[in-house]
Amino acid sequence: MEKIAVAVRFRPSIAEETSDRQWRIDDNRISLHKPLGTPISGVSFAFDHVFEESSTNSSIYDILIKSIIHAAIEGFNGTAFAYGQTSSGKTFTMNGSQADPGIIPQAVRDIFYTTHMIKNREFLIRVSYMEIYNEEINDLLSLVNQKLPIHESLERGVYVAGLREEIVNNADQVLDLIKLGEEAVDRIQYLGWAHIPYRDSKLTRILQPALGGNAKTSIICTVAPEEVHIEETKGTLQFASRAKRITNCAQVNEILTDTALLKRQKQEIEELRRKLQGHHSEVLEQVILKQRNDMHKSELECEKLAMELEEERKSHQVLKLRIEEQQKRIDCLNELLSSNQASCSIHENFHSDSVSEEMRSKNCMSENNIFATPTFKAMPDHFVMKRPNHSKGHVLSPLPVNFTNIANEDLWEQLNDGFTTNLDALQMTPIGTDLQERTTMERSQVDELKEQYAILERKCGQLRDENSSLAQTLSLSKQDAVLLRAEKEELVRDLNYERLKMKDLKAAIRSFSLAFAERECLLNSLYSTSKAMIENYSSPRFSD
Ligand SMILES: Nc1ncnc2c1ncn2[C@@H]1O[C@H](COP(=O)(O)OP(=O)(O)OP(=O)(O)O)[C@@H](O)[C@H]1O
């Protein structure tokens, strides 16, 4: 006979308040005090352990839970649960945080660590996970198992019928299952004392063996230290005091005789055989087959994507080259444009008499290359003449329609736009028809060049358009490539995940088969031993 271990844990205070009354902890005693330290009578409780606000989950595990886990490994029933008002720290105590794992992850790791160290015994560890919500029991590992009933039998005691039990081989599998179960819950309040009456609830029934039955039990009552929660805290402490009076009678579950062991082994082997040959193995095989198919599909998808990516890369390369080529052509045209602009400005300053061969060749105006200089600036409307020796400033006038060999005063007046001059001071006169021919020829050349310039400008515009559309295509292709790469990475991740799942399944089947083979061996040996014993007993020596 032994008492239930009851501990109280204070969570750190959330509110910064000045309180009239406060809880005081002295060793394992909790009492309520007035501001000046006077204890309030009748509000004092003693427990097995009281954990202050600064306590850690790991210290709680070591002091309160570890011994239960080790006893369970030895064959006892064990129960540990948290009880307390909302927001008092139940979840924190059970699940904990990354830095301070709660008692569930610690217990799970401890179970596998300890069972691995025991070499002379075999363990079969199964996990189930359920919620009690509004007095209904739901399976968190199988969503089809809802509203499950509570049964009781001589062999199993109180149990939830139809609850899924997963065989597990390591701690991570258990924690993964718990995570899976938590995803199914969108409501972790099992022990909301304000909502579920302590008596008559399904929870009370399930906890029956733990509260006064065949089990070792630890209860962690979580409380909030703030004054505003004093009444709820008192309620929790009263529950804890009642729980402390409960006595359990824990016994190692079964010490089987050879015959009982034989019977039990036979049953287990039958159960395993049924599972292996029946639905369970079929499901596993189907799952493996599906995983394999998915894996092949993903691999094919990956290859396809890789090929597409390669194609995309090649077309990028081609586009890039084309753009570079176009850019070169545009640069070349721009160079020509600027050089021709320069030549046009020189051309504007030509005096009709002073067009020399040297100038012509310098500005690409020789007979041979006149059509090779495409971008000329348009000529001004008036062809102008300059008379350099007449005065310092340039006197410009429109070109007369006809020149003759002799310059008279009228002509000069016409040339100088009404400006009169001393004809004796003139050094030369315009030279008639030759100049006219040259001017006409130059005009037609300039017209042709204008046309060429317009054509080339159009072409340049087209090239620019083409260039920008190629740049657009390139940027779209780049975006496509990024998307394809992301898709590929996701597929690779899926593939790896499927591989891991398949590996786990294979390991589960392997350990399942091993256990099955070992059990069969054991059965056979027990069977032969029993047969030999029976034969021995029925031999004439014993008949006598
Ligand atoms: N011992 C502790 N140390 C640090 N923080 C804690 C502790 N206990 C509780 N907390 C914090 O207090 C808040 C409430 O705790 P928790 O969620 O565990 O309460 P709960 O009893 O599970 O609430 P509910 O019943 O409403 O689900 C959380 O933010 C939690 O991280």
Side-chain angles (χ1 to χ4, degrees):
M1 301 287 265
E2 60 184 289
K3 298 266 186 206
I4 288 174
V6 180
V8 173
R9 181 184 202 184
F10 276 87
R11 73 148 161 71
S13 175
I14 294 166
E16 282 180 18
E17 53 170 21
T18 45
S19 40
D20 288 340
R21 295 169 295 168
Q22 49 181 239
W23 297 101
R24 185 175 288 178
I25 302 167
D26 296 304
D27 288 333
N28 291 327
R29 178 165 286 280
I30 303 169
S31 46
L32 192 59
H33 287 249
K34 286 183 185 161
L36 291 173
T38 330
I40 298 173
S41 70
V43 196
S44 175
F45 305 85
F47 300 103
D48 297 309
H49 305 277
V50 177
F51 295 99
E52 294 188 35
E53 298 179 4
S54 59
S55 62
T56 60
N57 286 328
S58 100
S59 65
I60 292 175
Y61 182 78
D62 286 343
I63 294 170
L64 214 62
I65 314 295
K66 199 179 180 109
S67 57
I68 292 187
I69 294 297
H70 287 208
I73 290 169
E74 291 303 318
F76 289 92
N77 293 330
T79 307
F81 67 88
Y83 178 100
Q85 71 165 105
T86 185
S87 179
S88 57
K90 299 182 292 292
T91 314
F92 188 86
T93 304
M94 299 307 273
N95 293 351
S97 61
Q98 195 80 14
D100 187 17
I103 62 175
I104 293 176
Q106 287 189 71
V108 169
R109 297 212 181 275
D110 202 0
I111 287 169
F112 283 95
Y113 176 78
T114 313
T115 51
H116 268 98
M117 301 307 280
I118 301 171
K119 302 289 177 204
N120 58 350
R121 275 162 58 206
E122 210 189 303
F123 294 88
L124 181 69
I125 300 168
R126 287 182 289 206
V127 173
S128 56
Y129 195 16
M130 63 174 170
E131 70 166 359
I132 303 172
Y133 186 74
N134 281 344
E135 283 299 281
E136 278 173 7
I137 301 173
N138 301 321
D139 194 336
L140 293 178
L141 299 185
S142 167
L143 292 180
V144 287
N145 295 344
Q146 303 288 301
K147 298 187 187 177
L148 298 174
I150 297 175
H151 285 185
E152 192 165 1
S153 76
L154 268 181
E155 209 188 23
R156 292 184 63 179
V158 178
Y159 65 98
V160 175
L163 204 56
R164 180 163 171 175
E165 290 184 334
E166 286 284 340
I167 297 175
V168 282
N169 296 315
N170 57 52
D172 287 339
Q173 280 180 359
V174 182
L175 298 176
D176 283 350
L177 282 171
I178 291 175
K179 216 157 127 194
L180 194 80
E182 271 161 11
E183 278 163 20
V185 188
D186 53 2
R187 304 162 296 239
I188 304 158
Q189 193 167 317
Y190 302 139
L191 294 163
W193 68 309
H195 309 293
I196 304 171
Y198 173 60
R199 289 175 201 288
D200 302 326
S201 69
K202 293 230 161 94
L203 179 66
T204 313
R205 180 106 191 270
I206 289 167
L207 290 178
Q208 214 172 313
L211 301 170
N214 174 18
K216 286 175 179 284
T217 302
S218 284
I219 305 176
I220 307 148
C221 293
T222 53
V223 289
E226 294 88 1
E227 190 182 19
V228 67
H229 296 304
I230 277 181
E231 290 313 311
E232 285 93 340
T233 301
K234 268 197 229 168
T236 303
L237 296 179
Q238 276 154 8
F239 166 86
S241 298
R242 282 203 303 275
K244 232 180 87 60
R245 291 200 288 270
I246 300 173
T247 308
N248 276 354
C249 179
Q251 291 171 340
V252 172
N253 268 332
E254 278 177 294
I255 303 169
L256 296 172
T257 60
D258 278 354
T259 326
L261 189 66
L262 193 66
K263 193 176 154 209
R264 172 76 175 269
Q265 297 279 357
K266 212 173 162 182
Q267 271 175 356
E268 276 189 21
I269 284 170
E270 273 315 307
E271 196 187 330
L272 286 170
R273 196 196 302 276
R274 260 205 316 280
K275 275 189 178 173
L276 197 65
Q277 288 171 354
H279 181 70
H280 197 66
S281 67
E282 264 173 34
V283 170
L284 278 180
E285 268 171 26
Q286 273 174 9
V287 170
I288 288 174
L289 207 68
K290 190 175 166 295
Q291 306 275 359
R292 199 173 294 151
N293 283 342
D294 286 354
M295 206 168 80
H296 286 319
K297 255 201 265 172
S298 304
E299 272 170 356
L300 280 176
E301 198 70 26
C302 268
E303 277 171 23
K304 200 172 137 234
L305 280 172
M307 271 161 63
E308 280 177 18
L309 207 63
E310 192 49 46
E311 288 285 306
E312 201 66 34
R313 219 173 272 140
K314 277 184 193 159
S315 71
H316 268 183
Q317 209 55 35
V318 171
L319 281 174
K320 223 169 140 189
L321 283 175
R322 279 184 69 186
I323 285 174
E324 277 168 15
E325 249 172 52
Q326 300 286 14
Q327 193 56 48
K328 271 187 206 157
R329 287 170 72 183
I330 287 169
D331 290 346
C332 189
L333 285 170
N334 282 338
E335 255 175 52
L336 282 172
L337 187 67
S338 53
S339 77
N340 286 323
Q341 274 170 350
S343 81
C344 272
S345 67
I346 290 168
H347 191 79
E348 276 173 24
N349 290 324
F350 275 175
H351 186 285
S352 59
D353 282 341
S354 61
V355 177
S356 67
E357 275 311 307
E358 191 194 348
M359 285 291 250
R360 280 166 179 263
S361 66
K362 196 174 172 190
N363 293 287
C364 313
M365 289 200 50
S366 71
E367 293 285 8
N368 293 338
N369 66 3
I370 194 161
F371 292 112
T373 51
T375 48
F376 270 81
K377 206 173 164 188
M379 288 293 290
D381 283 346
H382 293 97
F383 188 78
V384 292
M385 297 179 76
K386 188 175 81 169
R387 196 167 56 159
N389 293 328
H390 178 66
S391 66
K392 283 203 175 142
H394 295 161
V395 180
L396 303 174
S397 66
L399 186 71
V401 182
N402 291 311
F403 282 109
T404 60
N405 284 340
I406 300 154
N408 57 28
E409 204 161 330
D410 284 347
L411 176 63
W412 278 111
E413 232 176 63
Q414 211 178 331
L415 280 171
N416 292 319
D417 204 13
F419 183 85
T420 52
T421 186
N422 179 3
L423 283 178
D424 299 336
L426 286 175
Q427 293 172 350
M428 54 182 282
T429 55
I431 43 167
T433 52
D434 190 23
L435 176 66
Q436 244 179 317
E437 271 169 29
R438 269 163 65 187
T439 309
T440 320
M441 198 181 85
E442 276 182 8
R443 269 203 183 128
S444 75
Q445 281 173 356
V446 166
D447 285 345
E448 272 178 51
L449 286 172
K450 264 188 195 172
E451 253 173 57
Q452 291 242 335
Y453 171 75
I455 290 168
L456 284 167
E457 244 189 358
R458 270 202 303 280
K459 209 168 165 189
C460 195
Q462 278 171 1
L463 285 173
R464 264 193 214 112
D465 288 348
E466 207 177 319
N467 192 5
S468 75
S469 101
L470 282 172
Q472 235 174 327
T473 318
L474 181 67
S475 103
L476 284 176
S477 303
K478 270 183 188 157
Q479 282 170 12
D480 281 354
V482 169
L483 285 176
L484 281 171
R485 207 168 294 132
E487 214 175 308
K488 186 183 164 190
E489 275 166 14
E490 201 174 317
L491 276 168
V492 170
R493 266 202 305 279
D494 286 353
L495 189 66
N496 287 340
Y497 176 69
E498 296 297 346
R499 275 190 185 136
L500 281 177
K501 264 166 76 178
M502 197 162 133
K503 213 168 134 198
D504 279 353
L505 278 169
K506 276 184 182 162
I509 289 183
R510 209 175 302 123
S511 69
F512 194 66
S513 313
L514 272 176
F516 178 75
E518 277 178 29
R519 293 283 155 92
E520 202 160 33
C521 252
L522 192 63
L523 176 69
N524 285 341
S525 95
L526 283 167
Y527 179 71
S528 6
T529 316
S530 320
K531 206 172 159 195
M533 279 168 71
I534 291 164
E535 278 168 7
N536 207 8
Y537 282 126
S538 50
S539 71
R541 189 156 53 92
F542 280 93
S543 327
D544 291 347

